[in-house]
Amino acid sequence: MKERLNKAAALQWAGVMALYAVTAAMVWKILQIQVDNLYAGDFLAHIQTALNPDETGYSALNQVYQLIWAFTGSYDSMVLFVLLMCLGGIAASGWFLHRYAGTGIFASGLLGWCCFCADPIYLPFLNDYRVLGVQAFGVWHNPTLIGIKLLGVFVLALYLRMVRQFDEGVRWCDWLAFLVLLALATGVKPSLLFCFAPAMAVLMLWDFVRGRCQRFGRYVWFGCAVLPALAVVFAQYLV
């Protein structure tokens, strides 16, 4: 019985790895097209902005591009970095589903892939305009979207962990990790905070009212975790 389970798990992992390999090849092609063509997406424009000392960019990815360029001097290295962010985001999405929904290995890998790659992939026989994909703006037109999808999974996971701890008291290490990660994710793409913070505020307010307005200080302390991210948005506005 144990051998059957091990064999089944190995087959599921093999299926997940095959899916990742095909995805990596497709994303590499998409990003290479964008690096060669300024009008195929925002990737090349972001790189040029990061490497031009006379220009400023809002995203924290600019500093990453500068660091990669300083060490390698290669666009392919930047493509590899974004590709790894993409694969990491798919893996993180699968892990999230496995942890919080209890899905199996292959189901987690497949559903994680579906969640992360929810935007249309470039299919030339349906639509030859790569930036728009099939129906609407895709995640592939802008690497900052890939970055926040990766970090956003962990932000959400930490938030859910703290919600479960709330009655007994949120651990300061989880609160601090959430604070830092949310600020970092906002530095990559400020629109994340504009989506996440209002939703968090509504849920906290609902829980506060449902709990008959008790433990006010704990809610305030919990909510203060978004303040560094707000400071990041303000700094990006000044840039």
Side-chain angles (χ1 to χ4, degrees):
M1 183 67 178
K2 187 176 180 180
E3 290 182 359
R4 286 185 179 179
L5 290 175
N6 290 338
K7 186 177 180 179
L11 289 174
Q12 290 185 65
W13 276 114
V16 172
M17 292 300 104
L19 179 62
Y20 278 26
V22 172
T23 302
M26 295 175 66
V27 175
W28 179 271
K29 180 180 179 181
I30 292 171
L31 295 175
Q32 287 288 351
I33 291 172
Q34 293 190 23
V35 163
D36 292 334
N37 185 351
L38 183 63
Y39 299 102
D42 294 343
F43 190 19
L44 182 58
H46 286 191
I47 293 174
Q48 291 175 343
T49 299
L51 300 183
N52 188 342
D54 297 327
E55 295 189 27
T56 57
Y58 68 87
S59 177
L61 288 183
N62 283 9
Q63 285 70 43
V64 178
Y65 295 147
Q66 291 168 3
L67 187 63
I68 293 174
W69 184 260
F71 278 98
T72 67
S74 168
Y75 280 2
D76 283 346
S77 299
M78 300 184 193
V79 170
L80 179 61
F81 167 71
V82 176
L83 172 61
L84 291 176
M85 278 202 306
C86 179
L87 294 178
I90 295 172
S93 300
W95 164 82
F96 183 89
L97 291 169
H98 180 71
R99 180 177 178 85
Y100 289 97
T103 52
I105 296 172
F106 183 74
S108 297
L110 179 61
L111 292 174
W113 182 87
C114 291
C115 290
F116 194 88
C117 304
D119 295 295
I121 296 176
Y122 171 52
L123 300 173
F125 60 88
L126 292 179
N127 186 345
D128 196 39
Y129 189 42
R130 297 183 183 94
V131 176
L132 288 180
V134 178
Q135 298 168 336
F137 283 109
V139 66
W140 316 111
H141 92 282
N142 192 327
T144 58
L145 296 176
I146 296 176
I148 63 166
K149 289 186 82 170
L150 166 61
L151 295 173
V153 172
F154 296 108
V155 168
L156 181 58
L158 279 169
Y159 173 77
L160 292 177
R161 177 187 293 183
M162 291 191 298
V163 167
R164 291 179 176 181
Q165 298 170 358
F166 194 80
D167 289 338
E168 292 76 25
V170 176
R171 294 191 301 174
W172 69 269
C173 55
D174 289 335
W175 182 85
L176 185 61
F178 176 77
L179 178 150
V180 172
L181 197 57
L182 182 60
L184 178 60
T186 303
V188 171
K189 189 77 169 177
S191 55
L192 173 68
L193 186 68
F194 298 140
C195 298
F196 187 84
M200 178 179 168
V202 169
L203 290 174
M204 288 177 62
L205 180 61
W206 168 254
D207 193 63
F208 179 64
V209 173
R210 189 178 59 175
R212 298 183 180 180
C213 303
Q214 298 178 357
R215 298 173 297 188
F216 178 74
R218 190 174 296 180
Y219 283 96
V220 172
W221 180 62
F222 193 4
C224 284
V226 305
L227 294 180
L230 288 172
V232 170
V233 171
F234 181 71
Q236 290 170 324
Y237 174 76
L238 294 179
V239 169

